[in-house]
Amino acid sequence: MNVYSISTLQKIKSFTINRMFKLRIIFILLIAVFFSNCIQEPKSSVNYKAHTFYYNWYGNPEKDGKYYHWEHDILPHWSDTTWNNAGKLTGKGNIGANYFPELGTYSSNDPELIKKHIQMIQQSGIGVLVITWWGKNSYEDKSIKTYLNIAKNYNLKIAIHIEPFYKTAEEFKTQLEYLNTQYGNHPALYKVNNKPFIYVYDSYKLEASEWQKVLNPKGEFSIRNTNLDAIFIGLWVEKNHGNLIKESGFDGFYTYFASDGFVYGSTSKNWKSMSVFAEKNQLLFIPCAGPGYIDTRIRPWNNGNTKPRSKGLYYENMFKAALETNPNYIGITSFNEWHEGTQIEPSISKKYKDYKYEDFSETNDNWFYIKKTKELVNKLE
């Protein structure tokens, strides 16, 4: 048996106490780290090959002085005058959509709303928001920088979806100059090979000869090999639009519409031949899938294009058809195009007078299509 002096025993006791104290501190720190990780906002991975069409055109009286897009005219039929009865949906509880948003009649200029949407999109696995844009100083223009700034915090990217407000190629170039000056250097702007990725809706409204003025390297107002150069994606609607896109000088094409069979380009059985055309002509091909389609609140005569969601089966089938073409990217129509009922944004059950809005009650989950999108995007390599 060893015999220790009192001083030695005191040293041993002191050492033991110090060690126990340090171990307790370490234990407490480990617990703190564990719980802090539990309450941190989850970091979900996103896929930059998945692009969703996003609409920042909504407004309300509280934020914007009046309703934008929540109120909506009931649109006349293009030829059948028996449907041309005037009418208007007034906003608030009576909106221009067959579904009603969980977040209510929000403003697209509200930073808190934008943050919630960005978080939803991140959770869906989508990497790129393709935001509608109606030109310099338009209502939709004033929120773009806010979207870019918030998207940056969530590792998401923004692409611009240019709507057909311009009349000539020269005017189109002027608008590109504005986009480049305002947003061209923002880190959240989506670029491929250091070029902005730009969708051009209804691109067929200009002749190929007009587009060549800006998209052909030898064109009169050519932007090729300049600081305005970008990857331009035209819209394929009718059967002959492939040649129009090629002749115009676009870098690729997309199909946009979520109603399978509505037009040649959105008919999924045509996508394989369209993919072959793209590969043969060194063009990008972006087939677009959607969860369903219904717009009869604003187009009561358009029942023929309604596509029931069928608990996500319609979405799955359209997305599968897109995947089978081994596409460069897949477009998702849409995050929040409420007018056409293609949104994956959560909706709620609601009634206005005698009208009952569509909802996701068949799935028992308002967030079903955010989760379904994540499941589908995970299949995109």
Side-chain angles (χ1 to χ4, degrees):
M1 181 177 178
N2 293 323
V3 179
Y4 296 98
S5 66
I6 292 175
S7 62
T8 302
L9 289 171
Q10 288 175 335
K11 289 178 180 178
I12 292 172
K13 184 178 179 180
S14 176
F15 173 79
T16 303
I17 291 171
N18 287 337
R19 186 179 182 192
M20 289 177 65
F21 178 76
K22 289 177 180 177
L23 287 173
R24 184 174 294 178
I25 293 297
I26 291 171
F27 179 74
I28 291 170
L29 289 172
L30 288 172
I31 291 294
V33 169
F34 172 78
F35 280 106
S36 68
N37 285 337
C38 288
I39 63 174
Q40 277 182 353
E41 199 166 273
K43 299 291 184 181
S44 58
S45 59
V46 296
N47 190 332
Y48 296 119
K49 292 179 71 175
H51 299 183
T52 189
F53 298 101
Y54 183 96
Y55 293 86
N56 62 329
W57 56 22
Y58 301 104
N60 59 37
E62 294 78 14
K63 184 73 176 177
D64 311 290
K66 66 175 185 176
Y67 285 111
Y68 287 86
H69 273 268
W70 297 121
E71 65 174 13
H72 205 288
D73 291 335
I74 296 174
L75 302 175
H77 194 281
W78 60 79
S79 62
D80 186 350
T81 57
T82 61
W83 286 103
N84 291 358
N85 52 319
K88 192 175 185 68
L89 303 161
T90 56
K92 200 172 182 180
N94 182 28
I95 66 171
N98 289 69
Y99 291 86
F100 199 89
E102 183 179 75
L103 294 176
T105 50
Y106 53 74
S107 168
S108 298
N109 293 308
D110 180 356
E112 286 303 311
L113 177 279
I114 296 171
K115 182 178 178 181
K116 288 176 182 177
H117 277 180
I118 295 288
Q119 290 171 334
M120 289 178 187
I121 293 167
Q122 185 192 57
Q123 290 176 52
S124 76
I126 294 168
V128 180
L129 291 70
V130 185
I131 294 187
T132 187
W133 190 70
W134 291 83
K136 177 181 178 181
N137 299 327
S138 63
Y139 179 81
E140 295 78 15
D141 180 54
K142 63 183 180 181
S143 62
I144 295 291
K145 192 151 286 184
T146 305
Y147 279 91
L148 286 163
N149 291 339
I150 294 175
K152 178 178 177 290
N153 295 334
Y154 289 85
N155 205 30
L156 297 183
K157 301 293 183 181
I158 303 288
I160 301 298
H161 197 186
I162 299 182
E163 301 283 357
F165 58 85
Y166 51 89
K167 303 301 180 186
T168 65
E170 186 175 12
E171 184 185 354
F172 184 82
K173 180 178 180 179
T174 299
Q175 296 292 331
L176 291 179
E177 290 169 347
Y178 174 83
L179 282 173
N180 182 63
T181 300
Q182 294 296 314
Y183 315 119
N185 293 323
H186 199 287
L189 186 68
Y190 184 57
K191 295 182 179 181
V192 174
N193 297 328
N194 205 35
K195 294 180 181 180
F197 208 89
I198 295 178
Y199 287 81
V200 184
Y201 188 72
D202 277 2
S203 52
Y204 58 86
K205 289 191 172 182
L206 289 187
E207 299 288 340
S209 57
E210 187 69 13
W211 279 121
Q212 288 170 5
K213 294 177 182 179
V214 286
L215 299 182
N216 187 300
K218 297 180 180 179
E220 183 180 356
F221 312 112
S222 181
I223 51 83
R224 296 305 191 185
N225 302 313
T226 73
N227 64 338
L228 301 182
D229 206 352
I231 295 173
F232 294 98
I233 307 298
L235 179 63
W236 185 324
V237 177
E238 302 299 339
K239 187 173 182 179
N240 65 339
H241 282 175
N243 289 326
L244 176 63
I245 286 164
K246 176 187 173 183
E247 293 169 13
S248 296
F250 283 97
D251 302 290
F253 54 86
Y254 70 121
T255 62
Y256 183 75
F257 300 106
S259 182
D260 195 348
F262 169 53
V263 292
Y264 181 89
S266 71
T267 303
S268 60
K269 68 180 182 181
N270 296 329
W271 288 351
K272 287 186 178 179
S273 63
M274 292 166 69
S275 178
V276 170
F277 178 90
E279 186 173 0
K280 180 180 178 181
N281 292 284
Q282 297 181 310
L283 296 169
L284 298 173
F285 173 44
I286 308 176
C288 301
Y293 187 96
I294 184 168
D295 66 354
T296 52
R297 280 220 93 195
I298 63 171
R299 299 182 182 97
W301 38 266
N302 199 32
N303 277 302
N305 284 313
T306 296
K307 297 294 185 294
R309 296 192 173 214
S310 303
K311 297 182 181 180
L313 183 60
Y314 178 84
Y315 198 11
E316 288 180 17
N317 289 339
M318 207 173 189
F319 205 95
K320 180 183 177 183
L323 287 173
E324 287 174 350
T325 68
N326 191 29
N328 304 105
Y329 307 88
I330 287 182
I332 294 168
T333 310
S334 63
F335 178 78
N336 65 340
E337 219 298 12
W338 289 93
H339 304 312
E340 297 180 347
T342 63
Q343 79 289 338
I344 63 170
E345 182 184 356
S347 74
I348 58 171
S349 299
K350 189 175 178 65
K351 193 173 181 180
Y352 177 79
K353 295 184 178 180
D354 294 331
Y355 181 76
K356 184 181 183 299
Y357 287 92
E358 304 283 334
D359 56 37
F360 301 158
S361 57
E362 63 177 9
T363 66
N364 296 312
D365 185 357
N366 293 345
W367 283 59
F368 177 84
Y369 288 96
I370 295 291
K371 298 171 184 176
K372 175 59 71 173
T373 300
K374 177 66 173 176
E375 174 190 319
L376 295 173
V377 168
N378 283 343
K379 298 178 182 180
L380 178 60
E381 298 178 354

